[in-house]
Amino acid sequence: MTDELAAHRDAARQWVVDNVRPAWVEEQYRTGVHQTMELHRLLARDGILGAGWPAAHGGTEVVPEFARALHSEISRFGLAADGWSTTLMVINTINEVGTESQKREYIGGALRGEILIALGYTEPESGSDVAAAKTTAVRNEAGWLINGQKLFTSTAQCCSHVFVLARTNPGVPKHRGLSLFLVRTDDPGFDLRPIHTLGGQQTCATYYSDVQVPDSALIGGVDEGWRVMKVALVHERGSDNLEFVETRVSSDLARWARGPRDSDGTTPLDDPLVAERIGRMAVEEEVARLLALQVRATSERGEPPAVEGAMAKLFRTEAAQRHHSDALDILGADGILAPGAPGAPDAGLFEAGFRSAVVETIRGGSSEILREIIAERRLGLPRTRPRQ
Ligand SMILES: Cc1cc2nc3c(=O)[nH]c(=O)nc-3n(C[C@H](O)[C@H](O)[C@H](O)COP(=O)(O)OP(=O)(O)OC[C@H]3O[C@@H](n4cnc5c(N)ncnc54)[C@H](O)[C@@H]3O)c2cc1C
């Protein structure tokens, strides 16, 4: 932590004190919608969304280090920004494969806080095997007509667009007949239904019935969808997403363990086994942080952090499951008290974190798929699936 970074962190903490409302945390928990639009508008107002982007695309003077520190402080406050996180993946992808006018429209709109984009890849019958998508886009005079259904289109309820993976050519092997479109959520024929998850997060099923989009909504060329997806998936597990995850189980648990005293005056932390388990958590959280920094360093060298991103996501999410499980063990029966329950330790966030950790090893690529990426690309082991 240099003096400069410490100053950014302090300024970020002050911004949080001045602008962020505890009621938003309660609202995200109650509704399961992990995006607070009021906060998003404030981030746009202060130019934070545009930090680090070129001025030509709507970038601002705000330095990326401050924006990163702020996202991290907001996450520590207990607020998620899943809609902005998916938007960043898409605009980074557009920045690589989009036309100049698409960059102006979509990147500019997103940095001004006017455009928020959900990911529409997964379908009822294709998740890990995302290239098996059945949603179709058929060319017509006005552009493209989209029909189909997507599952787990997270934060679609507050997004202006969905980045939809659709089949544009059914007559070729599955990876070669896909294209990506930006569909507006206020287009006629678009519909959604909320899905509640074990983790408390609300995601959505989205439906597309003769949704008409113009040619300009096609991102990256006809039947080029798989190439675009590869770019997008690297961004999903890559550096753009790191600011939004601040793991803090060990420090929360240590704070709790210093608190309640037994009749003999001891605290849970006086138990060497408790102290050791919290110590192990702190070590693993540090490893997760360093893996995340490795992703950023790889990106900053101009290399796609495909393997580094898989390593960082796999380690962070699996460690979080171990940590939350350990936390519930240490807390005993009180640990399963949910937010809102009287006497719940840390306002019930251990219990909520335990459930949410289960989901995190699935979304954004399951652990098995990430292990395959590491095995094949880093360790040079043979593929487990036939080439398509
Ligand atoms: C809370 C949440 C939010 C999500 N948000 C989004 C979103 O915003 N947009 C979006 O498009 N999707 C989203 N997803 C979908 C997510 O990306 C998929 O759930 C994930 O890719 C797994 O796909 P699946 O659920 O179809 O499981 P499947 O692919 O059917 O996998 C089932 C099991 O089989 C294993 N498996 C599958 N293939 C292999 C293989 N080749 N080798 C070894 N094991 C394998 C998997 O690891 C898993 O354990 C979200 C999911 C969740 C739970």
Side-chain angles (χ1 to χ4, degrees):
M1 178 67 78
T2 62
D3 288 350
E4 193 192 344
L5 287 178
H8 287 311
R9 184 201 53 202
D10 293 345
R13 285 185 180 164
Q14 192 54 48
W15 195 97
V16 168
V17 169
D18 294 342
N19 294 286
V20 177
R21 302 221 307 264
W24 294 337
V25 178
E26 189 275 326
E27 188 184 29
Q28 285 203 357
Y29 179 76
R30 185 171 35 79
T31 60
V33 178
H34 287 184
Q35 174 72 38
T36 299
M37 294 313 289
E38 222 176 321
L39 172 61
H40 191 65
R41 282 188 282 275
L42 293 176
L43 292 167
R45 177 201 69 187
D46 288 356
I48 290 146
L49 303 182
W53 285 85
H57 295 147
T60 61
E61 302 277 295
V62 175
V63 290
E65 290 77 10
F66 172 70
R68 265 187 216 129
L70 185 53
H71 285 302
S72 164
E73 288 303 319
I74 290 171
S75 166
R76 285 178 67 81
F77 198 85
L79 283 166
D82 289 1
W84 177 238
S85 159
T86 49
T87 302
L88 265 183
M89 294 167 205
V90 179
I91 61 176
N92 272 298
T93 305
I94 293 175
N95 200 28
E96 285 189 40
V97 305
T99 62
E100 276 312 307
S101 84
Q102 286 174 335
K103 289 180 194 173
R104 267 195 309 279
E105 179 179 353
Y106 297 119
I107 300 178
L111 301 185
R112 285 191 301 276
E114 294 158 5
I115 286 179
L116 208 60
I117 310 169
L119 303 180
Y121 307 151
T122 306
E123 297 189 3
E125 288 171 50
S126 56
S128 303
D129 186 13
V130 67
K134 288 188 178 145
T135 294
T136 56
V138 176
R139 203 187 256 295
N140 65 6
E141 280 172 9
W144 296 87
L145 207 57
I146 299 187
N147 278 288
Q149 180 188 344
K150 296 286 172 182
L151 205 57
F152 301 125
T153 320
S154 300
T155 67
Q157 47 304 54
C158 41
C159 284
S160 57
H161 293 73
V162 181
F163 195 42
V164 173
L165 180 69
R167 187 152 302 283
T168 35
N169 187 349
V172 292
K174 62 182 178 183
H175 290 83
R176 297 207 205 124
L178 297 164
S179 306
L180 277 150
F181 296 88
L182 274 171
V183 174
R184 296 182 62 95
T185 53
D186 59 2
D187 275 339
F190 175 87
D191 200 5
L192 63 80
R193 199 174 303 149
I195 302 172
H196 296 273
T197 65
L198 169 72
Q201 180 201 54
Q202 194 192 88
T203 172
C204 296
T206 51
Y207 304 90
Y208 308 80
S209 307
D210 285 341
V211 176
Q212 178 71 58
V213 298
D215 245 337
S216 59
L218 170 70
I219 306 293
V222 183
D223 296 344
E224 290 284 308
W226 192 242
R227 180 178 69 88
V228 181
M229 277 297 292
K230 282 197 197 158
V231 176
L233 289 176
V234 168
H235 284 298
E236 180 156 6
R237 293 164 205 146
S239 60
D240 325 312
N241 221 7
L242 300 177
E243 293 92 48
F244 299 97
V245 188
E246 183 65 41
T247 319
R248 51 173 192 167
V249 187
S250 67
S251 52
D252 287 350
L253 201 57
R255 197 180 54 241
W256 169 84
R258 279 190 204 100
R261 284 187 187 278
D262 265 355
S263 48
D264 63 357
T266 59
T267 68
L269 205 56
D270 292 323
D271 179 343
L273 288 178
V274 171
E276 186 193 320
R277 285 170 98 173
I278 296 177
R280 278 181 197 277
M281 280 179 205
V283 170
E284 290 197 341
E285 284 167 1
E286 183 62 11
V287 173
R289 199 179 69 85
L290 293 174
L291 284 171
L293 289 178
Q294 178 175 272
V295 177
R296 181 169 301 136
T298 310
S299 274
E300 284 174 3
R301 282 200 304 274
E303 298 163 26
V307 178
E308 292 78 3
M311 285 163 63
K313 200 242 165 194
L314 176 68
F315 188 85
R316 173 175 58 77
T317 54
E318 295 210 334
Q321 280 186 3
R322 288 192 292 277
H323 298 174
H324 281 100
S325 184
D326 275 356
L328 290 205
D329 256 5
I330 292 171
L331 291 160
D334 283 355
I336 56 168
L337 291 173
D346 209 19
L349 291 181
F350 290 117
E351 186 274 348
F354 177 79
R355 279 183 290 113
S356 142
V358 175
V359 171
E360 294 302 317
T361 53
I362 303 169
R363 72 161 172 172
S366 69
S367 291
E368 289 76 16
I369 299 298
L370 300 178
R371 284 202 173 84
E372 284 187 4
I373 292 172
I374 298 164
E376 288 167 17
R377 300 201 204 163
R378 173 58 59 89
L379 304 175
L381 296 176
R383 281 175 70 87
T384 51
R385 306 170 310 289
R387 283 196 189 278
Q388 314 261 350

